[in-house]
Amino acid sequence: MLLVLTDEHKEHLAFLPEVDFAVVGEFGRIALEFLKKGSNSKIYEGAARKLNVAVDTVQHGVEGLMYLLSESSKLMISEVDFQDSVVVLGFPEELNKLLLQLYLDNQKEIRNILSELAPNLPHYHNLEWRLDVQLASRALRQQIKPTVTFKLHLEQNGEESAKVLQTDPATLLHLIQQLEQALGEMKTTHCRRIVRNIK
């Protein structure tokens, strides 16, 4: 699977062939720090002074490199696919090899960082339900009004919480149909490919 870069990302990476290979390696280290700790303008300013270029140019170069490495790691792109993705940029062969080495050396670490950054959402633990039917009221002696009540138990970071939901059977049937349709969609080859690349 090839990584498709936008024109903006290509423009940001276009600065890399103008600097020494050691600087590109340093940009790779800064890109990893960017992923771990966030952006640091002092680092960009120091690098810009050493290279005699604008701070924005350095920042865009590091961000472009970070995007290239993080997206490649996220999609678990193979060596050959990474090389094919980078060839489009028109860089010299030595720079392409250096970028490949940066990717291979840091792929596991980047995937670990990205997995830590992923949101920790509550997940299903248990479900209790009850069917209530109102057969009559003071105003209407013969009515049938069913309601379904759910108590959804969720778990997040080892803590449990409960949500109470109430609906009528028609809405519940519609919800079931939508969920079954979503499950059916997940079985398509397109969705399977996406899910496989996310893991």
Side-chain angles (χ1 to χ4, degrees):
M1 178 179 173
L2 293 178
L3 181 65
V4 179
L5 297 171
T6 64
D7 291 336
E8 183 183 10
H9 291 117
K10 289 177 185 176
E11 189 179 308
H12 289 176
L13 291 169
F15 173 65
L16 296 179
E18 299 172 15
V19 296
D20 192 44
F21 293 146
V23 174
V24 175
E26 185 64 19
F27 277 11
R29 188 192 63 76
I30 294 171
L32 278 176
E33 289 297 316
F34 182 103
L35 277 173
K36 289 179 190 172
K37 300 176 184 173
S39 182
N40 187 346
S41 59
K42 290 180 182 177
I43 293 175
Y44 297 139
E45 290 168 6
R49 270 196 305 274
K50 287 179 185 174
L51 297 171
N52 264 347
V53 294
V55 176
D56 286 347
T57 307
V58 172
Q59 183 175 352
H60 289 186
V62 170
E63 288 172 356
L65 189 56
M66 182 210 56
Y67 177 80
L68 176 71
L69 295 174
S70 63
E71 286 299 308
S72 300
S73 297
K74 191 189 306 180
L75 298 173
M76 294 182 70
I77 291 179
S78 67
E79 261 185 67
V80 174
D81 287 344
F82 184 85
Q83 286 174 325
D84 291 343
S85 300
V86 174
V87 163
V88 175
L89 298 170
F91 290 165
E93 188 64 32
E94 298 84 26
L95 182 55
N96 289 346
K97 287 180 182 176
L98 178 65
L99 290 174
L100 175 65
Q101 197 57 46
L102 264 173
Y103 168 64
L104 295 175
D105 291 347
N106 298 305
Q107 181 181 13
K108 270 189 180 173
E109 186 178 358
I110 292 170
R111 284 191 60 80
N112 288 338
I113 292 169
L114 292 176
S115 67
E116 290 171 9
L117 294 175
N120 187 9
L121 301 173
H123 58 276
Y124 171 84
H125 180 68
N126 195 10
L127 176 71
E128 299 174 40
W129 63 274
R130 181 180 74 220
L131 177 65
D132 295 322
V133 180
Q134 184 177 353
L135 298 173
S137 67
R138 288 183 183 179
L140 294 169
R141 291 189 178 237
Q142 289 187 342
Q143 74 172 13
I144 297 176
K145 186 180 174 188
T147 55
V148 182
T149 306
F150 298 99
K151 189 171 186 181
L152 182 62
H153 297 272
L154 302 171
E155 193 174 303
Q156 183 177 15
N157 297 331
E159 296 178 15
E160 286 189 29
S161 62
K163 305 283 183 201
V164 177
L165 310 165
Q166 193 172 40
T167 185
D168 61 291
T171 306
L172 181 60
L173 285 173
H174 178 69
L175 181 65
I176 291 169
Q177 288 172 349
Q178 292 299 310
L179 290 172
E180 285 176 347
Q181 183 180 352
L183 281 173
E185 185 74 26
M186 284 301 295
K187 293 178 183 173
T188 63
T189 55
H190 178 68
C191 284
R192 284 183 181 170
R193 189 178 313 126
I194 291 171
V195 168
R196 185 175 60 241
N197 287 328
I198 289 173
K199 291 181 181 176

CSV table of all heavy atoms in Angstrom, one decimal, residues 4-19 27 54-68 85-86 88-91 95:
chain,number,residue,atom,x,y,z
A,4,VAL,N,0.0,8.2,0.0
A,4,VAL,CA,-0.2,9.3,-0.9
A,4,VAL,C,0.0,10.6,-0.2
A,4,VAL,O,-0.7,10.9,0.9
A,4,VAL,CB,-1.7,9.2,-1.5
A,4,VAL,CG1,-1.9,10.4,-2.4
A,4,VAL,CG2,-1.9,7.9,-2.1
A,5,LEU,N,0.9,11.4,-0.6
A,5,LEU,CA,1.2,12.7,0.0
A,5,LEU,C,0.6,13.8,-0.8
A,5,LEU,O,0.6,13.8,-2.0
A,5,LEU,CB,2.8,12.9,0.0
A,5,LEU,CG,3.6,11.9,0.9
A,5,LEU,CD1,5.0,12.1,0.6
A,5,LEU,CD2,3.2,12.1,2.3
A,6,THR,N,0.0,14.8,-0.1
A,6,THR,CA,-0.6,16.0,-0.7
A,6,THR,C,0.5,16.9,-1.2
A,6,THR,O,1.7,16.8,-0.8
A,6,THR,CB,-1.5,16.7,0.3
A,6,THR,OG1,-0.7,17.2,1.3
A,6,THR,CG2,-2.6,15.8,0.8
A,7,ASP,N,0.2,17.8,-2.0
A,7,ASP,CA,1.1,18.8,-2.5
A,7,ASP,C,1.7,19.6,-1.4
A,7,ASP,O,2.9,20.0,-1.4
A,7,ASP,CB,0.5,19.8,-3.5
A,7,ASP,CG,0.1,19.1,-4.8
A,7,ASP,OD1,0.7,18.0,-5.1
A,7,ASP,OD2,-0.8,19.5,-5.5
A,8,GLU,N,0.9,19.9,-0.4
A,8,GLU,CA,1.4,20.7,0.8
A,8,GLU,C,2.5,19.9,1.5
A,8,GLU,O,3.6,20.5,1.9
A,8,GLU,CB,0.3,21.0,1.8
A,8,GLU,CG,0.7,21.8,2.9
A,8,GLU,CD,-0.5,22.0,3.9
A,8,GLU,OE1,-1.5,21.4,3.8
A,8,GLU,OE2,-0.3,22.8,4.8
A,9,HIS,N,2.3,18.6,1.7
A,9,HIS,CA,3.4,17.8,2.4
A,9,HIS,C,4.6,17.7,1.5
A,9,HIS,O,5.7,17.7,2.0
A,9,HIS,CB,2.8,16.4,2.7
A,9,HIS,CG,1.8,16.4,3.8
A,9,HIS,ND1,0.5,16.0,3.6
A,9,HIS,CD2,1.9,16.8,5.1
A,9,HIS,CE1,-0.2,16.2,4.7
A,9,HIS,NE2,0.6,16.7,5.6
A,10,LYS,N,4.4,17.5,0.2
A,10,LYS,CA,5.6,17.5,-0.7
A,10,LYS,C,6.4,18.8,-0.6
A,10,LYS,O,7.6,18.8,-0.6
A,10,LYS,CB,5.1,17.2,-2.1
A,10,LYS,CG,4.6,15.8,-2.4
A,10,LYS,CD,4.1,15.7,-3.8
A,10,LYS,CE,3.4,14.3,-4.0
A,10,LYS,NZ,2.9,14.2,-5.3
A,11,GLU,N,5.6,19.9,-0.5
A,11,GLU,CA,6.3,21.2,-0.4
A,11,GLU,C,7.1,21.3,0.9
A,11,GLU,O,8.2,21.8,0.9
A,11,GLU,CB,5.2,22.3,-0.4
A,11,GLU,CG,5.7,23.7,-0.6
A,11,GLU,CD,4.6,24.7,-0.6
A,11,GLU,OE1,3.7,24.5,-1.5
A,11,GLU,OE2,4.6,25.6,0.2
A,12,HIS,N,6.5,20.8,2.0
A,12,HIS,CA,7.2,20.8,3.3
A,12,HIS,C,8.5,20.0,3.2
A,12,HIS,O,9.5,20.3,3.8
A,12,HIS,CB,6.3,20.4,4.4
A,12,HIS,CG,5.2,21.3,4.7
A,12,HIS,ND1,4.3,21.1,5.7
A,12,HIS,CD2,4.9,22.6,4.3
A,12,HIS,CE1,3.4,22.1,5.8
A,12,HIS,NE2,3.8,23.0,4.9
A,13,LEU,N,8.4,18.8,2.6
A,13,LEU,CA,9.6,17.9,2.5
A,13,LEU,C,10.6,18.4,1.5
A,13,LEU,O,11.7,17.9,1.5
A,13,LEU,CB,9.1,16.5,2.2
A,13,LEU,CG,8.3,15.8,3.3
A,13,LEU,CD1,7.7,14.5,2.8
A,13,LEU,CD2,9.2,15.5,4.5
A,14,ALA,N,10.3,19.3,0.6
A,14,ALA,CA,11.2,19.7,-0.5
A,14,ALA,C,12.4,20.4,0.1
A,14,ALA,O,13.5,20.5,-0.6
A,14,ALA,CB,10.5,20.7,-1.4
A,15,PHE,N,12.4,20.8,1.4
A,15,PHE,CA,13.6,21.4,2.0
A,15,PHE,C,14.7,20.4,2.3
A,15,PHE,O,15.8,20.8,2.4
A,15,PHE,CB,13.1,22.2,3.3
A,15,PHE,CG,14.2,22.7,4.1
A,15,PHE,CD1,15.0,23.8,3.6
A,15,PHE,CD2,14.4,22.2,5.4
A,15,PHE,CE1,16.0,24.3,4.4
A,15,PHE,CE2,15.5,22.7,6.2
A,15,PHE,CZ,16.2,23.8,5.7
A,16,LEU,N,14.3,19.2,2.5
A,16,LEU,CA,15.3,18.1,3.0
A,16,LEU,C,16.5,18.0,2.0
A,16,LEU,O,17.6,17.8,2.5
A,16,LEU,CB,14.6,16.8,3.2
A,16,LEU,CG,13.5,16.8,4.3
A,16,LEU,CD1,12.9,15.4,4.5
A,16,LEU,CD2,14.1,17.3,5.6
A,17,PRO,N,16.3,17.9,0.7
A,17,PRO,CA,17.5,17.7,-0.1
A,17,PRO,C,18.5,18.9,-0.1
A,17,PRO,O,19.7,18.7,-0.4
A,17,PRO,CB,17.0,17.6,-1.6
A,17,PRO,CG,15.5,17.4,-1.4
A,17,PRO,CD,15.1,17.9,-0.1
A,18,GLU,N,18.1,20.1,0.4
A,18,GLU,CA,19.0,21.2,0.5
A,18,GLU,C,19.9,21.2,1.7
A,18,GLU,O,20.8,22.0,1.8
A,18,GLU,CB,18.1,22.5,0.6
A,18,GLU,CG,17.2,22.7,-0.6
A,18,GLU,CD,16.3,23.9,-0.5
A,18,GLU,OE1,16.5,24.7,0.5
A,18,GLU,OE2,15.3,23.9,-1.2
A,19,VAL,N,19.7,20.3,2.7
A,19,VAL,CA,20.5,20.2,3.9
A,19,VAL,C,21.4,18.9,3.9
A,19,VAL,O,21.1,18.0,3.1
A,19,VAL,CB,19.7,20.3,5.1
A,19,VAL,CG1,19.0,21.7,5.2
A,19,VAL,CG2,18.7,19.2,5.2
A,27,PHE,N,16.6,16.1,12.1
A,27,PHE,CA,15.2,16.4,11.9
A,27,PHE,C,14.3,15.2,12.3
A,27,PHE,O,13.2,15.4,12.8
A,27,PHE,CB,14.9,16.8,10.5
A,27,PHE,CG,15.2,18.2,10.1
A,27,PHE,CD1,15.9,19.1,11.0
A,27,PHE,CD2,14.8,18.8,8.9
A,27,PHE,CE1,16.2,20.4,10.7
A,27,PHE,CE2,15.1,20.1,8.6
A,27,PHE,CZ,15.8,20.9,9.5
A,54,ALA,N,14.6,30.4,7.4
A,54,ALA,CA,13.5,30.9,8.2
A,54,ALA,C,13.0,29.8,9.2
A,54,ALA,O,13.1,28.6,8.8
A,54,ALA,CB,12.3,31.3,7.3
A,55,VAL,N,12.5,30.2,10.3
A,55,VAL,CA,12.0,29.2,11.3
A,55,VAL,C,10.9,28.4,10.7
A,55,VAL,O,10.8,27.2,11.0
A,55,VAL,CB,11.5,30.0,12.6
A,55,VAL,CG1,10.9,29.0,13.6
A,55,VAL,CG2,12.7,30.7,13.2
A,56,ASP,N,10.0,29.0,9.9
A,56,ASP,CA,8.9,28.3,9.3
A,56,ASP,C,9.3,27.2,8.4
A,56,ASP,O,8.7,26.1,8.4
A,56,ASP,CB,8.0,29.2,8.5
A,56,ASP,CG,7.1,30.1,9.4
A,56,ASP,OD1,7.0,29.8,10.6
A,56,ASP,OD2,6.5,31.1,8.9
A,57,THR,N,10.4,27.4,7.7
A,57,THR,CA,11.0,26.4,6.8
A,57,THR,C,11.4,25.1,7.6
A,57,THR,O,11.1,24.0,7.2
A,57,THR,CB,12.2,26.9,6.0
A,57,THR,OG1,11.8,28.2,5.4
A,57,THR,CG2,12.7,26.0,5.0
A,58,VAL,N,12.1,25.4,8.7
A,58,VAL,CA,12.6,24.2,9.5
A,58,VAL,C,11.4,23.5,10.2
A,58,VAL,O,11.3,22.3,10.1
A,58,VAL,CB,13.5,24.7,10.6
A,58,VAL,CG1,13.8,23.6,11.6
A,58,VAL,CG2,14.8,25.3,10.0
A,59,GLN,N,10.4,24.3,10.7
A,59,GLN,CA,9.2,23.7,11.3
A,59,GLN,C,8.4,22.9,10.3
A,59,GLN,O,8.0,21.8,10.6
A,59,GLN,CB,8.3,24.8,11.9
A,59,GLN,CG,7.1,24.3,12.6
A,59,GLN,CD,6.3,25.4,13.3
A,59,GLN,OE1,6.7,26.5,13.4
A,59,GLN,NE2,5.2,25.0,13.8
A,60,HIS,N,8.2,23.4,9.1
A,60,HIS,CA,7.5,22.7,8.1
A,60,HIS,C,8.3,21.4,7.7
A,60,HIS,O,7.6,20.4,7.4
A,60,HIS,CB,7.2,23.6,6.9
A,60,HIS,CG,6.2,24.6,7.1
A,60,HIS,ND1,5.7,25.4,6.2
A,60,HIS,CD2,5.6,25.0,8.3
A,60,HIS,CE1,4.8,26.3,6.7
A,60,HIS,NE2,4.7,26.0,8.0
A,61,GLY,N,9.6,21.5,7.6
A,61,GLY,CA,10.4,20.3,7.2
A,61,GLY,C,10.3,19.2,8.3
A,61,GLY,O,10.1,18.1,7.9
A,62,VAL,N,10.3,19.6,9.6
A,62,VAL,CA,10.2,18.6,10.7
A,62,VAL,C,8.8,18.1,10.7
A,62,VAL,O,8.6,16.8,10.8
A,62,VAL,CB,10.5,19.3,12.0
A,62,VAL,CG1,10.2,18.3,13.2
A,62,VAL,CG2,12.0,19.6,12.1
A,63,GLU,N,7.8,18.9,10.5
A,63,GLU,CA,6.4,18.5,10.5
A,63,GLU,C,6.1,17.5,9.3
A,63,GLU,O,5.4,16.5,9.5
A,63,GLU,CB,5.4,19.6,10.5
A,63,GLU,CG,5.4,20.4,11.9
A,63,GLU,CD,4.6,21.6,11.8
A,63,GLU,OE1,4.1,22.0,10.7
A,63,GLU,OE2,4.4,22.3,12.9
A,64,GLY,N,6.7,17.9,8.2
A,64,GLY,CA,6.5,17.0,7.0
A,64,GLY,C,7.1,15.6,7.2
A,64,GLY,O,6.6,14.6,6.9
A,65,LEU,N,8.3,15.6,7.8
A,65,LEU,CA,9.0,14.4,8.1
A,65,LEU,C,8.2,13.6,9.2
A,65,LEU,O,8.1,12.4,9.0
A,65,LEU,CB,10.4,14.7,8.6
A,65,LEU,CG,11.4,13.5,8.7
A,65,LEU,CD1,11.5,12.7,7.5
A,65,LEU,CD2,12.7,14.0,9.2
A,66,MET,N,7.7,14.3,10.2
A,66,MET,CA,6.9,13.6,11.2
A,66,MET,C,5.7,13.0,10.6
A,66,MET,O,5.3,11.8,10.9
A,66,MET,CB,6.5,14.6,12.3
A,66,MET,CG,5.7,14.0,13.4
A,66,MET,SD,4.6,15.0,14.2
A,66,MET,CE,3.6,15.6,12.9
A,67,TYR,N,5.0,13.7,9.7
A,67,TYR,CA,3.8,13.1,9.0
A,67,TYR,C,4.2,11.9,8.2
A,67,TYR,O,3.5,10.9,8.3
A,67,TYR,CB,3.2,14.2,8.1
A,67,TYR,CG,2.0,13.7,7.4
A,67,TYR,CD1,0.7,13.6,8.0
A,67,TYR,CD2,2.1,13.3,6.1
A,67,TYR,CE1,-0.4,13.1,7.3
A,67,TYR,CE2,1.0,12.8,5.4
A,67,TYR,CZ,-0.2,12.7,6.0
A,67,TYR,OH,-1.3,12.2,5.3
A,68,LEU,N,5.3,12.0,7.5
A,68,LEU,CA,5.7,10.9,6.6
A,68,LEU,C,6.0,9.6,7.5
A,68,LEU,O,5.5,8.5,7.2
A,68,LEU,CB,7.0,11.3,5.8
A,68,LEU,CG,7.6,10.2,5.0
A,68,LEU,CD1,6.7,9.9,3.8
A,68,LEU,CD2,9.0,10.6,4.5
A,85,SER,N,6.8,5.2,-2.2
A,85,SER,CA,6.1,6.4,-1.8
A,85,SER,C,7.0,7.6,-1.8
A,85,SER,O,6.6,8.7,-2.1
A,85,SER,CB,5.5,6.2,-0.4
A,85,SER,OG,4.6,5.2,-0.4
A,86,VAL,N,8.3,7.4,-1.4
A,86,VAL,CA,9.3,8.5,-1.3
A,86,VAL,C,9.9,8.8,-2.7
A,86,VAL,O,10.2,10.0,-2.9
A,86,VAL,CB,10.4,8.1,-0.3
A,86,VAL,CG1,11.5,9.1,-0.3
A,86,VAL,CG2,9.8,7.9,1.1
A,88,VAL,N,8.4,9.3,-5.4
A,88,VAL,CA,7.6,10.4,-6.0
A,88,VAL,C,8.1,11.8,-5.7
A,88,VAL,O,7.9,12.7,-6.4
A,88,VAL,CB,6.1,10.2,-5.5
A,88,VAL,CG1,5.2,11.3,-6.0
A,88,VAL,CG2,5.6,8.9,-5.9
A,89,LEU,N,8.8,11.9,-4.5
A,89,LEU,CA,9.3,13.2,-4.1
A,89,LEU,C,10.5,13.7,-4.9
A,89,LEU,O,10.8,14.9,-4.9
A,89,LEU,CB,9.7,13.2,-2.6
A,89,LEU,CG,8.5,12.9,-1.6
A,89,LEU,CD1,9.1,12.6,-0.2
A,89,LEU,CD2,7.5,14.0,-1.6
A,90,GLY,N,11.1,12.8,-5.6
A,90,GLY,CA,12.2,13.2,-6.5
A,90,GLY,C,13.5,13.5,-5.7
A,90,GLY,O,14.3,14.2,-6.2
A,91,PHE,N,13.7,12.8,-4.6
A,91,PHE,CA,14.9,13.0,-3.8
A,91,PHE,C,16.1,12.2,-4.4
A,91,PHE,O,15.8,11.2,-5.0
A,91,PHE,CB,14.7,12.6,-2.3
A,91,PHE,CG,13.8,13.6,-1.6
A,91,PHE,CD1,13.2,13.2,-0.4
A,91,PHE,CD2,13.4,14.8,-2.1
A,91,PHE,CE1,12.4,14.0,0.3
A,91,PHE,CE2,12.6,15.6,-1.4
A,91,PHE,CZ,12.0,15.2,-0.2
A,95,LEU,N,19.3,10.1,0.0
A,95,LEU,CA,18.3,10.7,0.9
A,95,LEU,C,17.2,9.7,1.1
A,95,LEU,O,16.7,9.5,2.2
A,95,LEU,CB,17.9,12.0,0.4
A,95,LEU,CG,16.9,12.8,1.3
A,95,LEU,CD1,17.4,12.9,2.7
A,95,LEU,CD2,16.5,14.1,0.7
